[in-house]
Amino acid sequence: MAGKGKLKPEPLGGVVRLREEHKKVVRDCESRIQHWKKVSGDYEALSERLQTLPDQLCYDVMVPFGPLAFMPGKLVHTNEITALLGDNWFAKCSAKQAEKLVEHRMKFVKREIDELSKTMKNFEARVGFAKDLEISGSKEDYVDIREEDRNIDTALTKGKHRVAHKPNSKPKFEAVVDLKEEDEEDEEEGGDGGSRKGVLTEEELWARLDELEKLEELQDEQDRLSDNADMNGEDTSSLSSEEEKEGEAAPPVNGLSLKPSWLSAPHSKAPPTVDKKEEEEDDGDDENDNSCLPTIFFSHTVEPKKVRINTGKNTMLKFSERKEQKEHSKRKKKNGHNNGHSHHEHHKITTPTDIYRLFVDVKNGEPIPRKSILKSRSRENSVCSDTSESSAADFEERRMIGRSFSHDEATHSDTSDGITEEDSPTAVPLHPTSRFEAFSGTVVEKDPMPSAVPHLTIVPPALPTILERKQEEVTPDVAPPEKAPKRVSKFKAARLQQK
Amino acid sequence: MAEAIQKKLQAEVEKYTLMQKDVSKSMAARQKLETQLTDNNIVKEELGLLNSTNTVYKLIGPVLVKQDLDEAKATVSKRLEYINGEIQRYEAILKDMEKKSEQHRELLSSLQQEYQKAQGLAVGKV
């Protein structure tokens, strides 16, 4: 009690002062706005005068002589105006030109007024908040409520992630590597770089996630059936859907809120590059079962790991471990290997070294660790190090193309494009053999193309660009024959020949 | 003991206020430069609106001196660059000063604590 009593006056005092400062700023803004309004009024009057001035050749006027006397005189050369341009520069111009100058200045003044009014609004809002704080400070209820909300928020949205992630992952680039299965909340982490407090309520989160998962699965199936047709259209449009989704997810603090965001996820699959992928992945579990629908879903039955790699320009590739595992096992079976399981385990990324282990180039069925995941993937495709190949420009190109293509349609494996010319030809021959490359991340279209899926899951290459390329490669059925004639490095050609 | 600390504190406080004055001076200079910058930007744009038929004058003291339009444009651009350079210089100086004043502030607070402790001791003793 005594402690409470002590605490009360302190924040109050600070809050009062804060309010005072805010008010000062508001007042300052007001005065400045007044000043600019006056200037604006002056310029308007000037503009009028300039319009009427050249009407006559000369005017009879009373010319001021000093502060007290006037003298009758004539105003001549009515079209010649010497205008001050600022900083001691003058220009002689006609009345019309002067008018143009005045207009130009009015624009500037308007801009200033707008900015000032914005600032003023901001600070007025702050004053309001400070006031509220002051009031609630006396009650001492406000703080508590806030804390609760925060906890819930973190519990719902961020907690899970925080465990495995670096605290400073930025929204754009998030190497989300989750060791836990309930990664369904990844969708919300995308934009929320903020709270790393989830660790505190992790267990709560786990329990919650379990519940939500079940609910979502049920709902997803229902909704998908009804909404898929509608939502597909929406997907292509909003690349910022993730933000929306997160916006949806964030405010509703309880578990139920997750549903809407998740529900929207399957709908918004079209842009594979968007961060929605996480959601898609989450939905993958559910959607795998309902593959009859034409919508594009991210297949992700088990979510041991999710890796989102920023491929630049608002694109994100998601590395779906499960897919990789699937494809791996399929490939392995084809090749008669039994390493699927080992790969399965290897797919778990717990340390940076894991990344290197996973992002390996598979040549002739054997994983060859890459020297650097930052190096371009072109090396993979060509025996020699074709560093020049995977230039940034190329990647960008491919990425863009891949993205545009991926938007297109559900039926084919993600990147319908065969733009990655280099890769596409190799894609075909490589498919039969084990392919560890390319990252099935973004575009993978789940169910509509089960056959395509195996192609997609390739060893997670480190470079997002490569991933994209791979995805593009993934449509070997469609694209490669067309693209084959395009650039193919000699090494690739050799390999092709071999195969 | 307490008095010595007090004197020290006083001296440090004075130094700190001097530093703050310097900081505010630099800030004022920078503000001035900012206004000049916007001014020159407007002049540049307006010069672009004119054509060669208009004569351009520069006010040098009480005299309006005729200038060539292109020359005027070049001069204004140079001035803009100069102002930008000055602004950056001032920013660097400001940063520096901020750091120093931070250090000074810490020093002051530590001194204050010492002083309070000494005061407490003195009170205890008395």
Side-chain angles (χ1 to χ4, degrees):
Chain A
M1 293 283 282
K4 271 190 185 176
K6 250 194 214 171
L7 288 172
K8 267 191 200 177
E10 286 177 16
L12 276 185
V15 165
V16 166
R17 207 175 141 235
L18 186 69
R19 244 181 71 205
E20 289 300 321
E21 292 291 320
H22 283 330
K23 279 186 185 168
K24 255 197 230 171
V25 174
V26 171
R27 260 176 262 146
D28 182 50
C29 279
E30 270 179 23
S31 64
R32 278 199 226 175
I33 287 183
Q34 289 297 325
H35 168 256
W36 285 114
K37 279 196 179 155
K38 200 171 129 223
V39 168
S40 162
D42 284 347
Y43 273 121
E44 277 178 29
L46 179 62
S47 172
E48 275 186 46
R49 174 63 65 234
L50 283 174
Q51 282 171 7
T52 61
L53 200 57
D55 287 348
Q56 288 188 24
L57 275 176
C58 57
Y59 292 91
D60 288 324
V61 291
M62 292 296 273
V63 183
F65 261 53
L68 302 168
F70 291 87
M71 197 160 137
K74 281 204 166 120
L75 197 61
V76 297
H77 292 297
T78 49
N79 204 29
E80 291 170 36
I81 307 219
T82 308
L84 171 68
L85 305 175
D87 195 28
N88 287 343
W89 286 97
F90 290 82
K92 222 179 196 159
C93 48
S94 74
K96 285 204 175 154
Q97 286 170 330
E99 248 194 272
K100 274 195 210 159
L101 288 176
V102 167
E103 271 177 36
H104 177 255
R105 285 191 210 175
M106 288 279 279
K107 269 194 231 165
F108 175 77
V109 169
K110 263 189 200 164
R111 222 190 319 154
E112 290 290 308
I113 290 182
D114 288 340
E115 274 178 28
L116 279 175
S117 51
K118 261 194 237 171
T119 335
M120 209 172 87
K121 270 188 204 167
N122 273 337
F123 273 93
E124 273 173 4
R126 287 193 208 183
V127 166
F129 292 147
K131 207 175 172 189
D132 288 344
L133 189 62
E134 196 184 333
I135 292 171
S136 59
S138 55
K139 297 180 199 167
E140 289 200 9
D141 292 341
Y142 197 67
V143 176
D144 294 339
I145 294 172
R146 265 195 190 163
E147 286 178 3
E148 272 183 39
D149 286 345
R150 263 187 238 133
N151 279 340
I152 292 169
D153 279 340
T154 55
L156 277 187
T157 62
K158 296 135 193 207
K160 285 223 163 163
H161 270 324
R162 294 312 151 224
V163 178
H165 299 307
K166 295 179 194 172
N168 294 328
S169 66
K170 294 172 188 173
K172 255 196 175 177
F173 175 92
E174 283 181 335
V176 176
V177 178
D178 277 346
L179 294 177
K180 307 179 186 181
E181 289 189 357
E182 290 112 355
D183 289 342
E184 281 137 356
E185 299 196 337
D186 285 353
E187 62 198 44
E188 299 169 10
E189 65 152 340
D192 308 330
S195 65
R196 315 282 164 190
K197 303 176 191 171
V199 182
L200 301 172
T201 55
E202 217 180 293
E203 290 164 5
E204 283 178 34
L205 288 175
W206 291 119
R208 207 171 204 154
L209 283 172
D210 288 334
E211 294 173 19
L212 293 171
E213 271 183 27
K214 291 175 198 167
L215 288 170
E216 273 210 6
E217 286 181 21
L218 291 173
Q219 290 242 358
D220 280 348
E221 291 187 15
Q222 294 171 11
D223 291 340
R224 230 180 292 131
L225 288 172
S226 57
D227 298 341
N228 270 335
D230 304 334
M231 300 311 245
N232 276 336
E234 294 175 3
D235 292 346
T236 52
S237 53
S238 63
L239 281 178
S240 61
S241 55
E242 174 167 309
E243 296 168 13
E244 294 166 15
K245 279 193 263 177
E246 295 191 352
E248 287 174 39
V253 169
N254 51 25
L256 290 175
S257 64
L258 284 178
K259 275 192 210 166
S261 52
W262 286 2
L263 288 178
S264 63
H267 305 312
S268 55
K269 266 226 181 142
T273 57
V274 176
D275 295 342
K276 285 185 191 171
K277 285 182 196 166
E278 281 186 320
E279 297 183 29
E280 294 172 6
E281 281 186 338
D282 296 331
D283 295 325
D285 295 334
D286 309 328
E287 294 161 12
N288 275 331
D289 306 330
N290 308 327
S291 54
C292 49
L293 298 170
T295 56
I296 301 173
F297 292 122
F298 215 52
S299 60
H300 211 70
T301 52
V302 173
E303 319 265 354
K305 300 264 165 35
K306 277 193 224 168
V307 176
R308 272 205 289 182
I309 298 179
N310 185 8
T311 55
K313 294 196 179 173
N314 298 326
T315 63
M316 294 279 277
L317 292 178
K318 266 201 171 176
F319 157 47
S320 162
E321 264 197 320
R322 235 191 299 156
K323 277 197 180 157
E324 285 195 354
Q325 290 168 9
K326 263 198 234 167
E327 293 192 358
H328 265 308
S329 53
K330 280 184 191 169
R331 261 185 251 129
K332 293 293 185 183
K333 280 176 192 169
K334 281 184 192 172
N335 299 333
H337 292 186
N338 292 330
N339 297 336
H341 283 298
S342 61
H343 265 294
H344 214 85
E345 291 165 2
H346 281 309
H347 277 310
K348 283 200 176 163
I349 299 177
T350 53
T351 67
T353 50
D354 292 342
I355 295 175
Y356 279 90
R357 186 161 36 86
L358 283 173
F359 290 112
V360 295
D361 301 342
V362 176
K363 305 202 171 160
N364 301 323
E366 289 208 359
I368 298 174
R370 261 192 248 174
K371 284 185 185 171
S372 162
I373 59 175
L374 295 177
K375 298 260 166 85
S376 70
R377 258 179 58 117
S378 61
R379 284 172 190 246
E380 291 175 356
N381 296 324
S382 60
V383 172
C384 77
S385 56
D386 275 334
T387 46
S388 60
E389 277 185 358
S390 50
S391 60
D394 280 351
F395 282 139
E396 297 250 349
E397 245 181 69
R398 293 193 191 120
R399 217 180 306 137
M400 300 303 288
I401 300 170
R403 229 191 311 158
S404 58
F405 273 102
S406 56
H407 282 306
D408 292 346
E409 63 171 84
T411 54
H412 256 306
S413 58
D414 322 351
T415 53
S416 52
D417 84 2
I419 293 171
T420 54
E421 301 124 16
E422 294 172 14
D423 294 333
S424 49
T426 59
V428 185
L430 285 177
H431 280 313
T433 60
S434 63
R435 253 178 80 182
F436 269 90
E437 318 188 24
F439 167 15
S440 59
T442 60
V443 187
V444 177
E445 298 178 1
K446 283 162 83 166
D447 306 312
M449 292 288 294
S451 59
V453 168
H455 297 308
L456 294 178
T457 58
I458 314 172
V459 171
L463 291 180
T465 55
I466 297 177
L467 295 179
E468 276 190 321
R469 283 204 308 179
K470 290 301 177 175
Q471 291 172 355
E472 296 160 7
E473 296 175 31
V474 171
T475 58
D477 306 328
V478 187
E482 303 165 1
K483 312 292 175 173
K486 286 196 184 174
R487 2 172 202 149
V488 176
S489 73
K490 50 181 175 175
F491 300 98
K492 273 188 196 167
R495 239 191 305 157
L496 282 173
Q497 280 176 4
Q498 286 176 12
K499 300 191 178 167
Chain B
M1 186 50 191
E3 287 179 10
I5 295 181
Q6 198 179 15
K7 280 188 195 165
K8 251 198 204 174
L9 200 61
Q10 293 268 10
E12 293 295 325
V13 166
E14 280 169 21
K15 272 196 225 166
Y16 185 67
T17 42
L18 279 174
M19 283 203 70
Q20 287 291 88
K21 272 192 206 164
D22 285 341
V23 167
S24 50
K25 261 196 239 166
S26 318
M27 291 242 19
R30 191 166 167 273
Q31 295 277 16
K32 216 173 95 187
L33 282 175
E34 291 255 5
T35 40
Q36 280 184 355
L37 184 76
T38 42
D39 218 12
N40 272 285
N41 268 320
I42 292 184
V43 173
K44 191 163 174 205
E45 288 168 14
E46 292 187 353
L47 280 177
L49 288 175
L50 298 173
N51 51 35
S52 47
T53 52
N54 315 97
T55 37
V56 180
Y57 298 91
K58 182 157 171 71
L59 183 69
I60 299 179
V63 180
L64 270 181
V65 181
K66 208 169 180 179
Q67 295 270 350
D68 195 19
L69 182 67
D70 297 324
E71 257 185 63
K73 285 187 187 167
T75 318
V76 172
S77 314
K78 276 192 210 151
R79 189 155 163 78
L80 264 178
E81 284 173 26
Y82 170 74
I83 290 177
N84 276 320
E86 287 283 294
I87 285 182
Q88 280 171 10
R89 196 169 63 92
Y90 269 99
E91 276 188 14
I93 291 178
L94 268 177
K95 249 196 201 174
D96 223 13
M97 284 206 187
E98 285 262 359
K99 272 193 216 165
K100 283 192 202 161
S101 63
E102 275 284 335
Q103 288 172 0
H104 224 86
R105 232 177 289 165
E106 285 171 20
L107 186 64
L108 270 180
S109 62
S110 63
L111 273 181
Q112 257 183 352
Q113 282 179 6
E114 276 184 42
Y115 180 63
Q116 282 176 1
K117 277 189 209 164
Q119 283 275 25
L121 277 177
V123 169
K125 278 185 193 171
V126 173

